[in-house]
Amino acid sequence: MSYRKTFRLVCGLAGGSGVLLFAAAAAESRGYFGERSGEAASRWPSLTALRAAQPAWTPAKHTPAPTGHAWDFNWDKRDPSVLSNGKKKESATEDPGSEQDHGKPKATRNILLIRHSQYNLSGNSDKERILTPLGREQAELTGQRLAALGLKYDVLIHSSMARATETAHIISKHLPGPGVELMSCDLLREGAPIEPVPPVTHWKPDAVQYHEDGARIEAAFRRYIHRADPKQKEDSYEIIVCHANVIRYFVCRALQFPPEGWLRMGLNNGSITWLTIRPSGRVALRTLGDAGFMPPDKLTRT
Protein backbone atom coordinates (compact mmCIF):
# COMPACT_ATOMS: atom_id res chain seq x y z
CA MET A 1 0.00 0.00 0.00
CA SER A 2 1.40 3.39 -0.96
CA TYR A 3 2.20 6.06 1.61
CA ARG A 4 -0.43 8.46 0.18
CA LYS A 5 -3.26 5.92 0.19
CA THR A 6 -2.42 4.77 3.68
CA PHE A 7 -2.31 8.32 5.00
CA ARG A 8 -5.74 9.07 3.52
CA LEU A 9 -7.06 5.92 5.20
CA VAL A 10 -5.65 6.95 8.57
CA CYS A 11 -7.03 10.48 8.30
CA GLY A 12 -10.49 9.10 7.56
CA LEU A 13 -10.32 6.82 10.55
CA ALA A 14 -9.29 9.60 12.94
CA GLY A 15 -12.87 10.73 13.32
CA GLY A 16 -14.37 7.26 12.98
CA SER A 17 -13.98 3.91 14.63
CA GLY A 18 -11.31 3.66 17.31
CA VAL A 19 -11.16 -0.09 16.68
CA LEU A 20 -10.05 0.32 13.08
CA LEU A 21 -7.53 2.96 14.07
CA PHE A 22 -6.10 0.55 16.61
CA ALA A 23 -5.82 -2.11 13.91
CA ALA A 24 -3.95 0.30 11.63
CA ALA A 25 -1.58 1.17 14.44
CA ALA A 26 -0.95 -2.51 15.12
CA ALA A 27 -0.24 -3.16 11.45
CA GLU A 28 2.21 -0.28 11.38
CA SER A 29 4.07 -1.54 14.43
CA ARG A 30 4.46 -4.98 12.88
CA GLY A 31 5.83 -3.61 9.61
CA TYR A 32 2.82 -4.63 7.49
CA PHE A 33 3.28 -1.47 5.47
CA GLY A 34 6.61 -2.81 4.16
CA GLU A 35 8.84 -1.30 6.84
CA ARG A 36 10.36 -2.45 10.04
CA SER A 37 9.05 -1.15 13.34
CA GLY A 38 11.76 1.44 13.82
CA GLU A 39 11.47 2.80 10.29
CA ALA A 40 7.69 3.11 10.61
CA ALA A 41 7.98 5.11 13.81
CA SER A 42 10.23 7.65 12.12
CA ARG A 43 8.23 7.88 8.91
CA TRP A 44 4.72 7.90 10.40
CA PRO A 45 4.75 10.50 13.21
CA SER A 46 1.27 11.70 12.17
CA LEU A 47 -0.18 8.23 12.80
CA THR A 48 1.25 8.32 16.32
CA ALA A 49 -0.34 11.74 16.93
CA LEU A 50 -3.71 10.58 15.62
CA ARG A 51 -3.56 7.49 17.79
CA ALA A 52 -2.85 9.62 20.86
CA ALA A 53 -5.68 12.01 20.00
CA GLN A 54 -8.23 9.19 19.73
CA PRO A 55 -9.72 8.77 23.22
CA ALA A 56 -10.42 5.37 24.67
CA TRP A 57 -14.20 5.00 24.27
CA THR A 58 -16.15 3.73 27.23
CA PRO A 59 -19.84 4.26 27.98
CA ALA A 60 -18.98 5.94 31.27
CA LYS A 61 -16.90 8.61 29.55
CA HIS A 62 -19.52 9.52 26.97
CA THR A 63 -22.64 9.51 29.14
CA PRO A 64 -23.33 12.90 30.78
CA ALA A 65 -23.76 12.60 34.51
CA PRO A 66 -26.77 14.32 36.13
CA THR A 67 -25.87 17.51 37.95
CA GLY A 68 -27.70 19.55 40.54
CA HIS A 69 -30.84 18.63 42.43
CA ALA A 70 -34.00 16.89 41.30
CA TRP A 71 -36.91 19.02 40.03
CA ASP A 72 -38.75 20.71 42.86
CA PHE A 73 -42.45 20.41 42.03
CA ASN A 74 -43.32 22.77 44.88
CA TRP A 75 -41.03 25.55 43.63
CA ASP A 76 -43.91 28.06 43.67
CA LYS A 77 -45.31 26.84 47.02
CA ARG A 78 -48.60 26.04 45.27
CA ASP A 79 -48.39 22.26 45.07
CA PRO A 80 -51.82 21.16 46.38
CA SER A 81 -50.37 18.00 47.90
CA VAL A 82 -48.00 19.95 50.15
CA LEU A 83 -48.76 22.36 52.95
CA SER A 84 -46.85 25.62 53.39
CA ASN A 85 -44.69 23.94 56.02
CA GLY A 86 -43.61 21.28 53.55
CA LYS A 87 -45.57 18.38 55.10
CA LYS A 88 -48.00 16.20 53.19
CA LYS A 89 -51.67 16.89 53.77
CA GLU A 90 -53.56 14.46 55.99
CA SER A 91 -57.25 14.83 55.24
CA ALA A 92 -59.80 13.84 57.86
CA THR A 93 -62.50 13.24 55.27
CA GLU A 94 -63.53 9.80 54.11
CA ASP A 95 -62.16 10.51 50.63
CA PRO A 96 -58.87 12.43 50.96
CA GLY A 97 -58.38 12.40 47.20
CA SER A 98 -61.58 14.33 46.49
CA GLU A 99 -60.52 17.30 48.62
CA GLN A 100 -57.11 17.37 47.00
CA ASP A 101 -58.56 17.17 43.49
CA HIS A 102 -60.91 20.06 44.29
CA GLY A 103 -57.93 22.32 45.04
CA LYS A 104 -55.77 21.02 42.22
CA PRO A 105 -54.87 23.38 39.34
CA LYS A 106 -56.28 22.30 35.99
CA ALA A 107 -55.28 25.10 33.63
CA THR A 108 -51.96 25.94 31.98
CA ARG A 109 -50.50 29.43 32.17
CA ASN A 110 -48.65 30.80 29.14
CA ILE A 111 -46.53 33.82 29.99
CA LEU A 112 -45.09 35.83 27.11
CA LEU A 113 -42.25 38.04 28.31
CA ILE A 114 -41.54 40.93 25.95
CA ARG A 115 -38.40 43.02 26.14
CA HIS A 116 -39.07 46.73 25.54
CA SER A 117 -38.07 48.26 22.21
CA GLN A 118 -35.01 50.41 21.48
CA TYR A 119 -34.98 53.63 23.49
CA ASN A 120 -33.07 56.89 23.83
CA LEU A 121 -29.93 56.00 25.77
CA SER A 122 -28.88 59.62 26.16
CA GLY A 123 -31.86 60.56 28.34
CA ASN A 124 -30.95 61.92 31.77
CA SER A 125 -34.07 60.59 33.48
CA ASP A 126 -36.50 57.75 32.92
CA LYS A 127 -39.05 60.13 31.40
CA GLU A 128 -36.52 61.13 28.74
CA ARG A 129 -35.60 57.53 27.89
CA ILE A 130 -38.47 57.07 25.48
CA LEU A 131 -38.54 54.90 22.39
CA THR A 132 -36.62 55.89 19.29
CA PRO A 133 -38.40 55.90 15.90
CA LEU A 134 -36.90 52.46 15.29
CA GLY A 135 -38.04 51.38 18.75
CA ARG A 136 -41.63 52.35 17.96
CA GLU A 137 -41.40 50.40 14.73
CA GLN A 138 -40.10 47.38 16.64
CA ALA A 139 -43.06 47.58 19.03
CA GLU A 140 -45.44 47.64 16.06
CA LEU A 141 -43.78 44.50 14.67
CA THR A 142 -44.00 42.75 18.03
CA GLY A 143 -47.67 43.65 18.34
CA GLN A 144 -48.33 42.31 14.86
CA ARG A 145 -46.53 39.09 15.72
CA LEU A 146 -48.56 38.59 18.89
CA ALA A 147 -51.78 39.21 16.96
CA ALA A 148 -50.72 36.75 14.24
CA LEU A 149 -50.38 33.99 16.84
CA GLY A 150 -54.17 34.00 17.12
CA LEU A 151 -54.24 33.71 20.89
CA LYS A 152 -56.78 35.15 23.32
CA TYR A 153 -54.73 37.29 25.68
CA ASP A 154 -56.03 37.81 29.18
CA VAL A 155 -53.89 40.66 30.46
CA LEU A 156 -50.93 42.86 29.54
CA ILE A 157 -48.74 43.80 32.47
CA HIS A 158 -45.83 46.18 31.97
CA SER A 159 -42.99 47.75 33.90
CA SER A 160 -43.68 51.32 35.00
CA MET A 161 -40.52 52.58 33.28
CA ALA A 162 -41.15 54.82 30.27
CA ARG A 163 -39.67 52.56 27.59
CA ALA A 164 -41.66 49.53 28.75
CA THR A 165 -44.88 51.51 29.16
CA GLU A 166 -44.62 52.97 25.66
CA THR A 167 -43.82 49.56 24.19
CA ALA A 168 -46.84 48.01 25.93
CA HIS A 169 -49.26 50.67 24.68
CA ILE A 170 -48.12 50.24 21.08
CA ILE A 171 -48.43 46.45 21.35
CA SER A 172 -51.90 46.68 22.89
CA LYS A 173 -53.30 48.33 19.76
CA HIS A 174 -52.67 45.13 17.78
CA LEU A 175 -54.13 42.62 20.23
CA PRO A 176 -57.41 41.00 19.21
CA GLY A 177 -60.57 41.12 21.27
CA PRO A 178 -62.63 43.82 22.93
CA GLY A 179 -59.59 45.16 24.75
CA VAL A 180 -56.89 43.57 26.86
CA GLU A 181 -56.48 45.05 30.32
CA LEU A 182 -53.23 46.98 30.83
CA MET A 183 -51.59 47.00 34.24
CA SER A 184 -48.46 48.83 35.37
CA CYS A 185 -46.13 47.37 38.00
CA ASP A 186 -43.12 48.89 39.76
CA LEU A 187 -41.74 45.47 40.65
CA LEU A 188 -40.93 44.85 36.99
CA ARG A 189 -38.58 47.83 36.65
CA GLU A 190 -35.07 47.14 35.37
CA GLY A 191 -32.32 46.40 37.86
CA ALA A 192 -29.52 44.11 38.98
CA PRO A 193 -31.15 40.83 40.10
CA ILE A 194 -28.08 38.97 41.33
CA GLU A 195 -24.32 39.19 40.81
CA PRO A 196 -23.60 37.31 37.57
CA VAL A 197 -21.25 34.36 37.25
CA PRO A 198 -18.86 34.65 35.51
CA PRO A 199 -18.44 38.34 36.34
CA VAL A 200 -18.18 40.99 33.64
CA THR A 201 -15.99 44.07 33.58
CA HIS A 202 -18.26 46.49 31.70
CA TRP A 203 -21.08 46.48 34.27
CA LYS A 204 -20.49 46.42 38.02
CA PRO A 205 -23.35 47.53 40.27
CA ASP A 206 -22.49 47.89 43.92
CA ALA A 207 -23.62 45.50 46.61
CA VAL A 208 -26.46 47.78 47.74
CA GLN A 209 -28.03 47.76 44.27
CA TYR A 210 -27.92 43.97 44.10
CA HIS A 211 -29.45 43.83 47.58
CA GLU A 212 -32.33 46.17 46.76
CA ASP A 213 -33.00 45.26 43.13
CA GLY A 214 -32.59 41.55 43.77
CA ALA A 215 -35.30 41.49 46.42
CA ARG A 216 -37.68 43.48 44.21
CA ILE A 217 -37.15 41.36 41.09
CA GLU A 218 -37.51 38.16 43.12
CA ALA A 219 -40.79 39.54 44.48
CA ALA A 220 -41.92 40.14 40.87
CA PHE A 221 -41.03 36.56 40.00
CA ARG A 222 -43.07 35.20 42.89
CA ARG A 223 -46.04 37.38 41.99
CA TYR A 224 -46.22 36.55 38.29
CA ILE A 225 -44.43 33.25 37.66
CA HIS A 226 -46.37 30.38 39.21
CA ARG A 227 -48.88 27.68 38.29
CA ALA A 228 -52.55 28.55 37.77
CA ASP A 229 -54.96 29.03 40.63
CA PRO A 230 -57.33 26.07 41.14
CA LYS A 231 -60.24 28.38 40.30
CA GLN A 232 -58.85 29.02 36.81
CA LYS A 233 -60.80 26.83 34.38
CA GLU A 234 -59.18 27.64 31.02
CA ASP A 235 -55.61 28.04 29.82
CA SER A 236 -54.42 31.64 29.95
CA TYR A 237 -52.11 33.77 27.81
CA GLU A 238 -50.55 36.66 29.67
CA ILE A 239 -48.16 39.28 28.32
CA ILE A 240 -45.51 40.94 30.48
CA VAL A 241 -43.51 43.80 28.94
CA CYS A 242 -40.39 44.53 30.92
CA HIS A 243 -36.59 44.40 30.68
CA ALA A 244 -33.77 42.08 29.67
CA ASN A 245 -32.33 41.56 33.15
CA VAL A 246 -35.74 40.82 34.61
CA ILE A 247 -36.67 38.37 31.84
CA ARG A 248 -33.37 36.50 32.00
CA TYR A 249 -33.63 36.15 35.76
CA PHE A 250 -37.23 34.91 35.45
CA VAL A 251 -36.15 32.26 32.95
CA CYS A 252 -33.36 30.96 35.18
CA ARG A 253 -35.61 30.83 38.22
CA ALA A 254 -38.54 29.23 36.40
CA LEU A 255 -36.38 26.49 34.89
CA GLN A 256 -34.57 25.97 38.21
CA PHE A 257 -31.25 26.89 36.64
CA PRO A 258 -28.62 28.72 38.73
CA PRO A 259 -29.98 32.29 38.79
CA GLU A 260 -26.46 33.75 38.72
CA GLY A 261 -26.23 32.55 35.10
CA TRP A 262 -28.77 35.10 33.87
CA LEU A 263 -26.20 37.28 32.09
CA ARG A 264 -25.09 34.41 29.84
CA MET A 265 -28.18 35.01 27.69
CA GLY A 266 -28.90 37.89 25.32
CA LEU A 267 -32.24 39.36 24.21
CA ASN A 268 -33.06 41.62 21.29
CA ASN A 269 -35.35 44.60 21.70
CA GLY A 270 -38.99 43.66 21.18
CA SER A 271 -38.22 39.94 21.41
CA ILE A 272 -40.63 37.33 22.78
CA THR A 273 -39.77 34.81 25.48
CA TRP A 274 -42.51 32.25 26.14
CA LEU A 275 -42.83 30.29 29.38
CA THR A 276 -45.44 27.57 29.88
CA ILE A 277 -46.40 26.48 33.40
CA ARG A 278 -48.40 23.26 33.68
CA PRO A 279 -50.83 22.47 36.51
CA SER A 280 -48.32 19.93 37.84
CA GLY A 281 -45.70 22.63 38.30
CA ARG A 282 -43.66 21.62 35.27
CA VAL A 283 -42.20 24.56 33.36
CA ALA A 284 -41.18 24.69 29.71
CA LEU A 285 -39.39 27.39 27.74
CA ARG A 286 -41.06 27.53 24.33
CA THR A 287 -39.04 30.43 22.96
CA LEU A 288 -36.18 32.56 24.25
CA GLY A 289 -35.75 36.02 22.77
CA ASP A 290 -37.61 35.25 19.55
CA ALA A 291 -37.18 38.15 17.13
CA GLY A 292 -37.28 36.21 13.88
CA PHE A 293 -40.40 38.11 12.84
CA MET A 294 -38.35 41.31 12.47
CA PRO A 295 -36.29 42.17 9.37
CA PRO A 296 -32.54 41.96 10.03
CA ASP A 297 -32.11 45.72 9.72
CA LYS A 298 -34.63 46.26 12.54
CA LEU A 299 -32.80 44.12 15.12
CA THR A 300 -31.10 45.87 18.05
CA ARG A 301 -29.97 44.94 21.53
CA THR A 302 -29.73 48.12 23.60
Side-chain angles (χ1 to χ4, degrees):
M1 184 182 296
S2 68
Y3 172 85
R4 182 173 297 176
K5 289 183 179 178
T6 306
F7 186 74
R8 284 203 299 266
L9 174 63
V10 172
C11 288
L13 292 173
S17 170
V19 175
L20 292 178
L21 184 59
F22 177 79
E28 171 232 344
S29 65
R30 289 178 172 83
Y32 290 167
F33 294 142
E35 300 169 290
R36 292 188 298 274
S37 178
E39 294 173 346
S42 61
R43 189 171 178 181
W44 294 82
S46 57
L47 179 59
T48 304
L50 287 171
R51 188 172 59 227
Q54 184 75 15
W57 191 94
T58 61
K61 284 190 176 182
H62 292 266
T63 302
T67 59
H69 302 287
W71 181 262
D72 177 14
F73 280 93
N74 194 34
W75 59 273
D76 59 352
K77 309 306 177 188
R78 287 172 166 81
D79 186 342
S81 66
V82 181
L83 291 171
S84 60
N85 61 6
K87 295 181 180 179
K88 293 287 183 181
K89 287 184 177 180
E90 295 181 0
S91 176
T93 62
E94 294 182 1
D95 185 6
S98 62
E99 182 179 349
Q100 182 173 316
D101 289 341
H102 182 71
K104 187 177 181 179
K106 299 175 179 61
T108 294
R109 293 184 68 214
N110 294 274
I111 303 172
L112 290 86
L113 302 161
I114 314 296
R115 189 190 176 196
H116 61 78
S117 302
Q118 186 191 63
Y119 67 102
N120 175 27
L121 290 169
S122 60
N124 294 321
S125 65
D126 178 60
K127 291 183 179 180
E128 296 177 355
R129 297 184 186 123
I130 58 176
L131 299 186
T132 64
L134 175 57
R136 290 190 288 274
E137 190 174 352
Q138 289 171 339
E140 298 281 357
L141 290 168
T142 303
Q144 293 169 14
R145 173 58 176 169
L146 292 171
L149 292 176
L151 303 173
K152 180 180 178 296
Y153 300 105
D154 298 271
V155 67
L156 195 165
I157 306 165
H158 60 84
S159 158
S160 58
M161 298 187 82
R163 54 188 182 270
T165 301
E166 189 176 359
T167 300
H169 281 273
I170 294 174
I171 288 174
S172 68
K173 296 186 301 181
H174 296 274
L175 301 182
V180 178
E181 181 184 6
L182 269 72
M183 298 173 55
S184 178
C185 180
D186 289 335
L187 294 178
L188 294 168
R189 296 173 71 89
E190 183 64 301
I194 187 173
E195 189 170 358
V197 176
V200 293
T201 57
H202 63 276
W203 185 70
K204 288 189 173 182
D206 55 33
V208 173
Q209 185 174 353
Y210 281 123
H211 180 72
E212 295 178 351
D213 290 353
R216 173 177 54 78
I217 296 172
E218 172 64 20
F221 173 81
R222 297 186 185 192
R223 174 177 292 186
Y224 297 115
I225 312 299
H226 55 78
R227 77 192 77 192
D229 187 272
K231 297 178 181 179
Q232 182 176 326
K233 304 302 181 184
E234 299 180 354
D235 294 350
S236 60
Y237 295 88
E238 305 159 44
I239 300 172
I240 299 178
V241 180
C242 53
H243 310 270
N245 295 358
V246 177
I247 294 172
R248 292 180 287 188
Y249 178 80
F250 280 9
V251 168
C252 288
R253 286 282 284 109
L255 298 179
Q256 300 187 22
F257 292 163
E260 62 271 17
W262 63 271
L263 199 51
R264 302 171 199 173
M265 298 176 278
L267 300 174
N268 287 326
N269 295 112
S271 62
I272 302 173
T273 296
W274 187 336
L275 286 171
T276 297
I277 307 177
R278 302 293 182 188
S280 64
R282 292 183 182 273
V283 180
L285 179 63
R286 296 189 60 172
T287 63
L288 175 66
D290 176 26
F293 51 87
M294 293 190 188
D297 61 338
K298 306 298 181 184
L299 296 174
T300 60
R301 189 181 295 179
T302 58

